[in-house]
Amino acid sequence: TLDPLPAKHVDTGMGFERLVRVLQKKKSNYDTDIFSNTITEIEKISHQKYEGSQSRKDIAFRVIADHIRAVVFPVADGQLPSNTGAGYVIRRILRRAVRYYFTYLDVKEPLLFKLVPMIAQQFAEVFPEAIRQQDFLEKVIHEEEHSFLKTLDSGLKRLDQILLENKDLVKGDIAFELFDTYGFPVDLTQLIASENKATVDMKGFADCMKQQKDRSRAATQLTTGDWVEVHEGDTVFKGYEVMETQSRILKYRRIQSQGKNAFQIVLDQTPFYAESGGQVGDTGTLTSGDEVIHVLDTKKENNLIIHYADKVPADPEQSIHAKIDTEKRRATMLHHSATHLLHAALRKVLGTHVAQKGSLVNADYLRFDFSHFSKVTEEELLEIERIVNQHIRKNDPVQIELLPKEKALQKGAMALFGEKYGDTVRVVSMDERFSVELCGGTHVARTGDLGYFKITAETAVGAGVRRIEALTGDAAERYLGKELHTLNEIKTRLKNPKDLLKALDTLTDENSTLKKSAERMAKERAQALAKQFAENAQTLNSVSFIGASLDDADTQMLREICIQLKTFSKDYVMVLTSVHNGKAVVAITVSESIQKSNSLDAGKLIKSISSLINGGGGGNGLLATAGGQDTSGLNKVIESIRGQL
């Protein structure tokens, strides 16, 4: 059914950029002052001249000028480049721009991030977020460019090779290889193929993607039986208030995962927290009379709290006593509350661009992923620790409220990007001026319950995402005890020096001196042996042949002798063998003159004898090495090479 519109009109397609083009009497949108400053900046960076033509160089200017805005604005709004969803759109746009400047402007280092200051300034009045987050934007974009540039060159060479072999078609498995190995979005492969008058087998690509997803799915496949209904009703979660409940089974079913049987059980009321918001699910027991059933995990599925158990009671209709592992829950709560304090401290030390990108909270440790585009320095980590421990010592009450979502956000509560919240939310506050978050997890009563907080690791997870691992409570105490024990053991072994660092520096210097001395002596020995071998060489078919076995020489020593030999001989082939640490070691060197005149190749020669020692190796035409398990074959190696001359 077509209903008449209340106001009839024609959509002319006269968007802002086209309107400006008309007003400024330009032939192209890119000639207007919306883009002209950006293009001028690209000229400065690339040392290329924009001429407004249809050449690929000028198209590259226009693509970059357009794409930089498409990246800057959503990133400033909080959407980071990623491999899924909206983040993947941004990554695709950015990588397309990188490919254009790499190929057509001959720029081999990050360029887009240098345009951020100019874009931020140009749109300061209409989009001030770009000015406020300029440093953050530059780091995000630079990291993305740097990451893609590392594989772009090899990926382009691979695609060029494919297009040479098959000018009309890029097969689906090749397009998938470019995507999976080199980070080429398939639309970028399509673009490059079209520039070379070729097409991409998209059905084949889709089949490869499906096969990969099927493999991942098969690895985690869960087979479930039908639900057996026992009682009617809904589950009520009691775990915020109590650690155990008297419950009834509502329903259960058998499941099979990786060949093992287990059961899923749903109760009418439960103290078990279901895995959510990074906090792991509770474990514990269900007791029915004298029968004890172990709950191995608790998860949420279709709004049901599901207990994963090793069995079901003999009489499922009988009332059961549900009890969680209280020690595990307590340790988990400590780490969850510590995560909130850590999040707030990160934002205070590193900046408000920090946002949670994932977390794991269990009884043993906490892991927190967050947006940040450089390594967190040692000084920053110490300051973050200090702030968290300061709030622990303050022993602030942990206040939990149920509030309308809008009121909670007005209060300053942090909501996680991409999370879905209902109209009423649970707000967890630890000093309202410091940490206020929307959270459904379990927490301690006061920050002082945490005892102590210690960061144990800071690493990179991916482009623009860092990870901190930390401990609190008993786990932190055990960690510090172990570290102090290690420190005391080091002191004891160094005979308890007054200044431990000075003693370590002295030891390191002595080790470095001894290492250099050993290397010098090894080089001198290699020179002496090379000279000795050159003087005793056999002449076979106008080639100086040297075959020798050494006692307990490693690969490095054999290589060094081979390198030194060219000082004492010109036209030579040398094969050296040894037994080192119970394994066979072989090195072969061929002089450049013999390689050219006799077509002898050290790499090929080493492969020819690898089977004799039950091993393998490689190298180039002048020098190659191999190692193997069978030392008894070494006596045949020299004769084998001699026979090939």
Side-chain angles (χ1 to χ4, degrees):
T1 301
L2 297 176
D3 295 324
L5 292 170
K8 294 181 174 60
H9 62 277
V10 175
D11 181 356
T12 65
M14 183 61 74
F16 173 66
E17 290 165 2
R18 289 177 178 170
L19 184 62
V20 173
R21 173 179 163 186
V22 170
L23 292 173
Q24 296 186 358
K25 296 182 175 61
K26 301 295 184 182
K27 291 182 179 181
S28 164
N29 293 352
Y30 296 97
D31 294 334
T32 67
D33 58 10
I34 300 173
F35 291 103
S36 57
N37 289 338
T38 309
I39 288 173
T40 301
E41 193 67 20
I42 298 169
E43 286 180 320
K44 292 177 185 175
I45 298 169
S46 66
H47 305 294
Q48 301 271 10
K49 185 69 179 171
Y50 177 67
E51 295 164 340
S53 71
Q54 290 303 309
S55 69
R56 287 181 174 175
K57 179 195 73 173
D58 287 346
I59 290 172
F61 272 94
R62 295 194 285 270
V63 167
I64 296 165
D66 177 79
H67 286 19
I68 183 62
R69 297 190 310 169
V71 172
V72 164
F73 298 150
V75 172
D77 269 342
Q79 179 58 65
L80 294 174
S82 69
N83 279 334
T84 57
Y88 185 52
V89 177
I90 296 169
R91 177 163 285 170
R92 284 165 58 190
I93 292 169
L94 188 145
R95 289 186 171 183
R96 189 171 185 266
V98 171
R99 182 261 166 170
Y100 266 96
Y101 72 63
F102 183 92
T103 303
Y104 300 124
L105 299 184
D106 197 32
V107 176
K108 310 301 184 189
E109 58 186 30
L111 176 153
L112 297 174
F113 82 100
K114 297 176 183 177
L115 300 173
V116 171
M118 198 218 64
I119 294 292
Q121 193 60 51
Q122 181 179 359
F123 292 93
E125 293 184 15
V126 292
F127 196 77
E129 290 85 353
I131 285 278
R132 286 199 291 268
Q133 300 192 53
Q134 184 176 316
D135 289 345
F136 172 68
L137 289 166
E138 288 181 41
K139 288 174 182 175
V140 173
I141 294 169
H142 180 273
E143 188 70 26
E144 275 292 310
E145 291 184 89
H146 178 69
S147 174
F148 186 46
L149 281 166
K150 284 194 290 187
T151 58
L152 178 61
D153 190 33
S154 51
L156 287 172
K157 287 176 181 174
R158 174 76 175 120
L159 185 50
D160 286 344
Q161 180 188 351
I162 296 303
L163 290 168
L164 279 172
E165 293 170 0
N166 191 339
K167 294 183 179 180
D168 300 324
L169 180 70
V170 176
K171 293 180 180 179
D173 58 338
I174 297 297
F176 181 75
E177 177 196 340
L178 289 165
F179 166 78
D180 199 41
T181 305
Y182 301 102
F184 277 40
V186 71
D187 53 343
L188 179 57
T189 303
Q190 285 179 298
L191 174 70
I192 298 170
S194 68
E195 291 174 354
N196 290 273
K197 296 181 173 54
T199 58
V200 177
D201 173 16
M202 291 304 295
K203 183 182 182 303
F205 175 79
D207 289 343
C208 289
M209 285 290 286
K210 183 177 183 299
Q211 287 170 19
Q212 187 188 57
K213 288 176 181 177
D214 289 345
R215 286 193 295 271
S216 299
R217 199 176 291 116
T220 57
Q221 194 167 19
L222 180 72
T223 304
T224 59
D226 294 330
W227 285 110
V228 177
E229 304 284 345
V230 181
H231 296 101
E232 292 184 358
D234 297 318
T235 302
V236 178
F237 176 60
K238 296 282 189 179
Y240 290 138
E241 302 88 21
V242 297
M243 302 288 186
E244 49 192 293
T245 60
Q246 206 61 30
S247 307
R248 295 190 307 166
I249 294 178
L250 296 179
K251 56 184 178 179
Y252 67 89
R253 67 181 176 186
R254 182 189 297 272
I255 62 170
Q256 188 178 63
S257 178
Q258 297 178 345
K260 295 181 180 178
N261 288 313
F263 290 87
Q264 292 180 339
I265 300 174
V266 179
L267 306 177
D268 64 340
Q269 56 179 359
T270 179
F272 286 80
Y273 179 83
E275 179 183 318
S276 180
Q279 181 174 330
V280 297
D282 280 328
T283 59
T285 56
L286 304 177
T287 305
S288 176
D290 295 332
E291 192 176 11
V292 178
I293 295 163
H294 295 282
V295 176
L296 311 172
D297 200 358
T298 311
K299 295 182 183 290
K300 193 172 283 186
E301 184 180 310
N302 298 326
N303 293 322
L304 292 175
I305 295 176
I306 295 177
H307 308 76
Y308 287 73
D310 54 355
K311 59 182 179 177
V312 291
D315 181 4
E317 294 194 7
Q318 186 176 331
S319 175
I320 60 172
H321 185 72
K323 183 179 180 182
I324 67 171
D325 182 335
T326 53
E327 285 304 309
K328 180 182 174 184
R329 164 72 82 81
R330 179 181 171 277
T332 302
M333 289 195 306
L334 292 175
H335 285 120
H336 200 154
S337 297
T339 300
H340 283 225
L341 293 176
L342 170 62
H343 192 183
L346 283 165
R347 288 172 65 86
K348 188 169 184 179
V349 174
L350 303 180
T352 54
H353 67 272
V354 167
Q356 181 175 336
K357 292 297 171 185
S359 72
L360 171 68
V361 178
N362 60 28
D364 301 318
Y365 70 102
L366 71 88
R367 187 177 73 203
F368 188 76
D369 296 347
F370 57 97
S371 53
H372 189 57
F373 286 85
S374 59
K375 180 176 173 60
V376 185
T377 66
E378 191 67 32
E379 293 75 16
E380 288 168 335
L381 289 173
L382 288 171
E383 179 62 10
I384 291 161
E385 268 188 6
R386 188 193 67 77
I387 291 171
V388 173
N389 283 309
Q390 184 184 55
H391 280 272
I392 290 172
R393 288 192 298 274
K394 283 176 65 179
N395 200 23
D396 295 319
V398 178
Q399 298 176 324
I400 298 174
E401 305 171 273
L402 291 176
L403 295 174
K405 181 182 173 184
E406 292 304 318
K407 188 173 180 182
L409 295 176
Q410 289 170 9
K411 191 175 180 179
M414 273 194 292
L416 297 186
F417 188 84
E419 285 285 324
K420 294 179 180 178
Y421 299 97
D423 294 333
T424 302
V425 293
R426 191 165 178 265
V427 182
V428 179
S429 306
M430 302 175 196
D431 182 345
E432 289 190 354
R433 295 165 298 176
F434 184 64
S435 172
V436 182
E437 289 194 37
L438 305 186
C439 179
T442 61
H443 289 276
V444 298
R446 305 187 74 91
T447 57
D449 295 346
L450 275 59
Y452 182 71
F453 173 83
K454 179 64 184 172
I455 293 172
T456 57
E458 191 276 342
T459 55
V461 177
V465 180
R466 307 293 301 181
R467 170 174 291 172
I468 278 180
E469 294 182 18
L471 303 169
T472 191
D474 293 342
E477 187 178 328
R478 288 193 298 271
Y479 174 81
L480 287 177
K482 185 179 177 182
E483 291 293 296
L484 285 171
H485 174 75
T486 301
L487 181 62
N488 287 329
E489 187 67 27
I490 291 169
K491 286 181 177 178
T492 301
R493 294 188 184 190
L494 292 176
K495 305 189 186 310
N496 293 304
K498 290 183 180 179
D499 189 333
L500 179 60
L501 291 178
K502 186 177 179 181
L504 283 172
D505 287 340
T506 301
L507 190 64
T508 303
D509 291 343
E510 288 174 356
N511 181 61
S512 179
T513 301
L514 288 170
K515 188 176 179 182
K516 288 177 182 176
S517 177
E519 288 173 353
R520 187 178 63 253
M521 290 172 68
K523 189 171 183 178
E524 289 171 355
R525 181 175 176 236
Q527 286 175 333
L529 286 170
K531 184 179 180 182
Q532 179 186 327
F533 292 148
E535 290 170 350
N536 294 289
Q538 275 183 285
T539 301
L540 297 175
N541 298 326
S542 303
V543 176
S544 293
F545 175 72
I546 301 162
S549 295
L550 285 79
D551 293 331
D552 195 27
D554 61 10
T555 304
Q556 186 56 42
M557 171 56 83
L558 298 189
R559 283 178 60 89
E560 188 61 39
I561 295 170
C562 290
I563 292 167
Q564 294 298 329
L565 182 63
K566 60 186 173 184
T567 307
F568 306 103
S569 185
K570 290 183 179 180
D571 305 320
Y572 57 82
V573 172
M574 178 165 73
V575 54
L576 300 175
T577 68
S578 183
V579 178
H580 181 67
N581 291 336
K583 292 183 179 180
V585 185
V586 179
I588 297 173
T589 183
V590 177
S591 66
E592 195 169 343
S593 59
I594 294 299
Q595 185 194 21
K596 289 177 180 177
S597 62
N598 293 39
S599 299
L600 287 173
D601 183 294
K604 291 178 181 177
L605 290 172
I606 206 79
K607 287 178 181 176
S608 73
I609 57 86
S610 293
S611 60
L612 297 175
I613 58 172
N614 188 22
N620 56 41
L622 301 176
L623 174 60
T625 59
Q629 303 297 322
D630 187 1
T631 59
S632 65
L634 286 175
N635 59 348
K636 300 175 186 175
V637 168
I638 294 173
E639 291 310 311
S640 174
I641 300 300
R642 189 197 306 271
Q644 296 183 54
L645 297 182

